[in-house]
Amino acid sequence: MADCLFCQIVARRIPTEIVAEADGLLAFKDVNPQAPTHILIIPTEHIPTLVDATQAHTTLMGNALHLANRLARSYQLTSSGFRVVINCGPEAGQSVWHLHLHLLGGRPLRWPPG
Ligand code: DGP
């Protein structure tokens, strides 16, 4: 999608600190980090929101969680803990309409979120 920011990142048209690429997924550092580790995991395919993910995306979504697991290990977050978040829709604060998982860690994370 030409007008999608994250599709532009997938196409390498916007410079980004990419940390992993595998299984139809790209992981890169969030430009506005909310924790010492804040990584976004996106499908390279344009899927606007979690609501648009279908049964055909089951493996992709499983791989996204597995990549979050792998990155949490490589950023040494597993002992202290970490959070994986998908904001879906306006009231959840979704601002980029390309499905993404946030991997957050490296500081205490409050619950419930604001
Ligand atoms: P959300 O609010 O859940 O839609 O999260 C979108 C995230 O995307 C937000 O934490 C900031 C991040 N972001 C927005 N634009 C860019 C960008 O150009 N590069 C990178 N690396 N992250 C971006």
Side-chain angles (χ1 to χ4, degrees), residues 37-111:
T37 298
H38 188 172
I39 294 168
L40 300 175
I41 299 170
I42 69 167
T44 55
E45 170 192 351
H46 183 79
I47 303 170
T49 78
L50 183 60
V51 172
D52 301 299
T54 68
Q55 201 163 9
H57 299 112
T58 302
T59 301
L60 181 71
M61 296 306 290
N63 285 338
L65 281 175
H66 188 242
L67 181 54
N69 177 341
R70 275 177 39 212
L71 289 168
R73 289 169 190 274
S74 67
Y75 282 82
Q76 297 173 343
L77 299 173
T78 55
S79 304
S80 54
F82 61 94
R83 189 171 289 165
V84 176
V85 174
I86 299 176
N87 294 323
C88 184
E91 288 201 353
Q94 184 173 3
S95 61
V96 178
W97 299 89
H98 182 130
L99 176 60
H100 48 282
L101 285 69
H102 296 257
L103 170 64
L104 296 146
R107 68 166 173 83
L109 299 164
R110 287 189 303 272
W111 191 263

